[in-house]
Amino acid sequence: MKNTYTTSLNLPKLDFILLIFRIGVSILMLFHGVPKLISLFSSEEIQFADPLGVGQTMTLAVAVLAEFVCSIMLILGIGTRIATIPLIVTMAVAAIIVHAPDGLAKQELPFMYLLSYVLLFYTGAGKFSLDHYFLYKAENKDK
């Protein structure tokens, strides 16, 4: 019973949880990114929010970069901290600007993603990632 209420920072377990979390969040975000990718390259006129006034096409392209490309990077665990930055910005804009008039019910999901990406920005990808593989390989090559 005592172990139930204590914090354990077992690094192998933490790396495995980061793997599951990183891949899970990224796959869920792909469900938002793939339709945007299809819309960006379709022949139909682009209908997309433009909260920052840079144009609907540019806003959609940035959303595709974040939600599709950066999600793929997170799944692979490559450039993790850099890949989270566009996702953090995109989710902040979605929550604070785009869905502000809709209330918390519509803001809740982008805020949840935002918190997830902030966590990944600070923790990094963990041991089970291409980031770790390439960094480990580079460190051991110099020795």
Side-chain angles (χ1 to χ4, degrees):
M1 189 70 159
K2 183 179 176 183
N3 290 337
T4 304
Y5 300 105
T6 60
T7 301
S8 171
L9 291 178
N10 183 324
L11 292 182
K13 286 182 183 177
L14 184 62
D15 285 323
F16 184 68
I17 292 300
L18 278 173
L19 172 70
I20 292 170
F21 181 75
R22 191 182 79 236
I23 291 174
V25 167
S26 299
I27 288 171
L28 292 172
M29 181 53 72
L30 280 175
F31 284 107
H32 297 276
V34 169
K36 289 179 178 82
L37 178 69
I38 292 168
S39 175
L40 182 64
F41 291 107
S42 76
S43 59
E44 296 177 18
E45 183 180 344
I46 292 174
Q47 299 284 326
F48 198 71
D50 183 21
L52 302 178
V54 295
Q56 292 180 347
T57 304
M58 180 59 81
T59 305
L60 180 59
V62 170
V64 167
L65 170 74
E67 295 179 12
F68 183 78
V69 176
C70 292
S71 290
I72 298 293
M73 290 174 70
L74 288 180
I75 288 170
L76 298 173
I78 190 159
T80 301
R81 287 193 167 110
I82 293 169
T84 59
I85 294 170
L87 286 159
I88 288 169
V89 171
T90 302
M91 293 301 103
V93 168
I96 297 167
I97 299 172
V98 175
H99 292 296
D102 303 330
L104 188 59
K106 288 282 187 171
Q107 291 174 301
E108 183 179 14
L109 186 60
F111 274 131
M112 186 64 74
Y113 279 117
L114 175 62
L115 292 171
S116 299
Y117 296 130
V118 168
L119 175 74
L120 288 171
F121 178 80
Y122 282 104
T123 62
K127 182 178 169 184
F128 304 115
S129 66
L130 290 177
D131 285 344
H132 181 267
Y133 173 77
F134 290 128
L135 182 62
Y136 182 77
K137 189 175 178 181
E139 286 176 355
N140 287 332
K141 185 178 182 181
D142 295 336
K143 293 180 182 180

